[in-house]
Amino acid sequence: MPTYNAPVNDTKFLLNSVFKLENYSHLNGFDEVSEDLVEAILEEGAKLAQEVLHPLNAVGDSQGCVLNDGQVKTPEGFIGAYNSFKEGGWIGMGCDPDYGGQGLPFTITSAMNEFVSSANMAFAMYPGLSQGAIAAIHTHGTDEQKQTYLPKMVEGEWSGTMNLTEPHCGTDLGLLKSKAVSADNGSYKISGTKIFISAGDHDLTDNVIHLVLARIEGAPEGVKGISLFIVPKFLINEDGSLGARNGVECARLEEKMGIHGNSTCEMRYEEATGYLIGEENRGLNAMFVMMNEARLGVAIQGLAQSEIAYQNAVSYALDRRQGRALTGAKEADAPADPIIVHPDIRKNLMRIKAFNEGGRALIIWGGLLSDIIHRAEDEKEKQKADDLLGLITPVLKGYLTDVGFDNTVKAQQVYGGHGYITEWGMDQFVRDSRIAMIYEGANGIQALDLVGRKLSRNGGRAIMTLFGDIDAFVKEHEGNEKLTPYLTGLKEGRKDLEAATMWFMQNAMANPDNAGAGSSDYMHMMGLTIMAYMWAQIMVAVQTDQDNGNGSASFLDNKAKTAEFFMAHMMPDTKAQLARIQQGAAAIMALEADQFVNG
Amino acid sequence: MPTYNAPVNDTKFLLNSVFKLENYSHLNGFDEVSEDLVEAILEEGAKLAQEVLHPLNAVGDSQGCVLNDGQVKTPEGFIGAYNSFKEGGWIGMGCDPDYGGQGLPFTITSAMNEFVSSANMAFAMYPGLSQGAIAAIHTHGTDEQKQTYLPKMVEGEWSGTMNLTEPHCGTDLGLLKSKAVSADNGSYKISGTKIFISAGDHDLTDNVIHLVLARIEGAPEGVKGISLFIVPKFLINEDGSLGARNGVECARLEEKMGIHGNSTCEMRYEEATGYLIGEENRGLNAMFVMMNEARLGVAIQGLAQSEIAYQNAVSYALDRRQGRALTGAKEADAPADPIIVHPDIRKNLMRIKAFNEGGRALIIWGGLLSDIIHRAEDEKEKQKADDLLGLITPVLKGYLTDVGFDNTVKAQQVYGGHGYITEWGMDQFVRDSRIAMIYEGANGIQALDLVGRKLSRNGGRAIMTLFGDIDAFVKEHEGNEKLTPYLTGLKEGRKDLEAATMWFMQNAMANPDNAGAGSSDYMHMMGLTIMAYMWAQIMVAVQTDQDNGNGSASFLDNKAKTAEFFMAHMMPDTKAQLARIQQGAAAIMALEADQFVNG
């Protein structure tokens, strides 16, 4: 059975030494967040993840959820775990204190989110979806709506969901058919079918607050006629108590590849009472608030599954003995050496390790940018953070989940035949992490969002900001010889990324397919480049700590060697990515559609 | 539900126009194999695969196998399908006519094997394992053993298995513990536990003939003390009828990620009667006969799952409508365009298509080399084929299954959320194909076999032969301008492969870890390069057919465009592979083993 140890030390190192949270005391609420407080939160969160959530991970996978008479039952132990989670105040840790939250920085909640998503991804989605719904109601709801829903949701008494997808439309929400008919009292009657609704129904909370996209009768066609509604499972009485069952029900649970512990529901709305949230026909905008945070949440899942898969692959590689080191027996007295002596095994472990530690830095960077957007006073500082976060959000989602999934496969491979056997637990990480590449916008859509929208927005201001920041960073540290190898790798990536960006500028105008064709490679190239940017920053912190005699020498040495591996072995991929991008769309679009069949 | 159409046309094109089977009439038995006969076999095989085996693929996945009182029951319908398979003479199609086989070339059986492995991989393994056991008994058995077992196995009345792995040893068979004690009558008593035994027990045949590796009492330690035994489930009476139950039983069925329709057994041997096959203590050599053919069989599984996943992804991409083409609506009257208009979708489909068609050529090439080894008279011709097949076998196994698996993931991705849902069937291809990277020697072991053994054997004769053949081919066609783009891609790959080979020669002597570190990249680089060699040969055939006005113009145009895509978009990977190889082992081996844990 797999085990899990939350990477508290690495997270603390990133928060304190690399990103230096202490420098952000000008952000609202950051002054209250001391190093000691953060450490206490991380330690407590690690304990919950390791001791309460992780032991239920395999249980959730094997039992799955069950639908009985329109009510979903979660796997054994999930209710107890949810109550611990709720009572620890974890659901509202980042929420507005006016509604019962603790107002902690998103940076900290993101770090904790990794632990929870490693320990039990299917479970983590229940509070995760609630947090998204809380954010949408907080941003777009009326005061009355906020008073009605937020305190209960922040506390965890009620949960939340997002209802976008319908059988015939996922990516292309303009095709959406669910309808809303105005009722006398200002409410609406919502009817339609929504599919793939994660945490759509369950037995963890007394009520489920659905956020539902639907089209008001007479609204324009396409995306400009979609509104967002609050549809509670149970209607709420004037005094706040629960009233009648609303006209919404889980009609079916999907059987799926993984995340069996989370209920994936087909939700049927039959004249359910709903309340408009935000402006009429501006539902997609309201939903985008949830979607951006949700994308970061999914990026974290990619990292989180890669991390737990890595930890178990390492422990197997240290334990399992087969064959001898190529350079001669390492443990001659034993019948064979542990397989970690083999370079091919070690290369795969190093790839995952370098990705995980760099990815953790990316997630914290993303969290910090989000905090700046929401907590800074200075408009320029906010705008810059908004530009950068808008640019890197699709990259974090697409790159961290694509590679995170690959890493679970690599980790499974370390186990040989045992990796394929259910009781060893490695295949669950593969099956669970697979969904992260698909939901909240399939990764191909993230790439298109990046290349088609984020690159060109405001005359390319965001990407120019990124290049400018990297250049300033390089310039600042170029004099330091010890940093040279890390800066060289970063500069190479930045150069390739710029070449690809220029190539799009020159070739996508004439034929937009040239941008579409290279979009996924570009997303991965940016992923590698900003990860190199993280590793270079990590190395600055390592140097500083080493020079000052701070921190554990082995920890710092470990970072330096991992950074070296990252630059030498992972950055060369940008060359092949650039070569493919520069081939353009011609060979990709050459076949007639029916030639794909008649080959 | 997925569908399947066997690629009969493409296979015929490869056999007739590219590899020109008619030129091989000097090989024993090839003169009887006319184009018409091959066509009839492929058509009949396609029908069986499509109509009998494929409809049971999802059934096998959902029902799995069941163990009751030491007897395994296969999923519903498997017995009937097996009987059709048996009655069609498919099990013995490549076997020695002296024992009831049809003696057809391995080239043809490999082509058919692709169809069967696409249609139902779990099912295909039952006859597949028998074919391996037949080959081992045929090569190493005494006349009496051959008479006793082969006719029944070739006919399909009895099946065969391979028993290598034990709980503590997979790759490192020197650690093997199962023991054999000599009995009075020349037989042995076999005791021990074998795990991961595919098709280890089932209800498809009256008897199961196990080939079991065990150590005779007093034999040397390590790989030089291992012998191979025939252990039938039921002992065989003098008159050939079935006698008493032998001391071997399926103790447990493994729960696993995929291939649920195949029984993966823990086999317990308790003083089971076994018969030595081949020489004492030379069991591994005897087993290698099965292992090489088994590796080609697994390579085919990688291709086969990639093919069926591709076919379904294409039909979904032609059917599903979301969004509009970047270059403007393609079907303005419909609410949205089919998603095949999107370059990112199409790029993934092209990658899989180019791999499948190139991979099919590789499999046929491998089959042909095997036929030359077994059927040619000329020693030089045989030796050359043996060199080449020895070199490319680990590449076909490792490269085709690694990329084949990736392709099933890419195909699943085309389906968006539906790809994750069981009823759409795409996740089964991912789960089933995953095992092909692991069994018959995990792909890391294939890479090590290639770099550590196959490259240097006989002073590098095999790789020099490959380079020489490619050079001669390039020289022959260099004058043909129309072929230039394809030859350029091939030459680039060949150049990178040679640079990597030279780098190993210069750096692995001083530190063998330098070879181990780059072995997987090298295996993939050779995979790409020999696939480019296939595509270049395909293009020669295409040119010839075009010049002579043969074949379908659309088919030939399709090939040309796919070849162009392969060279432009897939070959650039060799650059990044070479760059990584040339980094050597330093950064990979830098960490102490315990630093992987304490990061």
Side-chain angles (χ1 to χ4, degrees), chain A residues 125-146:
Chain A
M125 292 169 66
Y126 294 105
L129 268 297
S130 286
Q131 286 160 347
I134 290 168
I137 296 174
H138 190 263
T139 312
H140 296 284
T142 62
D143 278 346
E144 195 192 329
Q145 286 171 336
K146 290 195 235 186

Side-chain angles (χ1 to χ4, degrees), chain A residues 437-452:
Chain A
M437 297 161 69
I438 299 174
Y439 60 18
E440 301 307 334
N443 287 356
I445 298 296
Q446 304 296 333
L448 206 59
D449 176 48
L450 172 66
V451 167

Side-chain angles (χ1 to χ4, degrees), chain A residues 172 323 412 434 573 580, chain B residues 172 323 412 431 434 573 580:
Chain A
D172 189 353
Q412 181 189 30
R434 180 66 183 88
D573 282 350
R580 283 195 297 265
Chain B
D172 189 352
Q412 180 188 30
R431 291 184 291 99
R434 180 68 183 87
D573 282 350
R580 284 195 297 265

Side-chain angles (χ1 to χ4, degrees), chain A residues 169-188:
Chain A
C169 75
T171 301
D172 189 353
L173 289 168
L175 304 176
L176 189 140
K177 286 180 186 164
S178 289
K179 65 177 185 186
V181 180
S182 178
D184 297 338
N185 56 359
S187 71
Y188 290 80

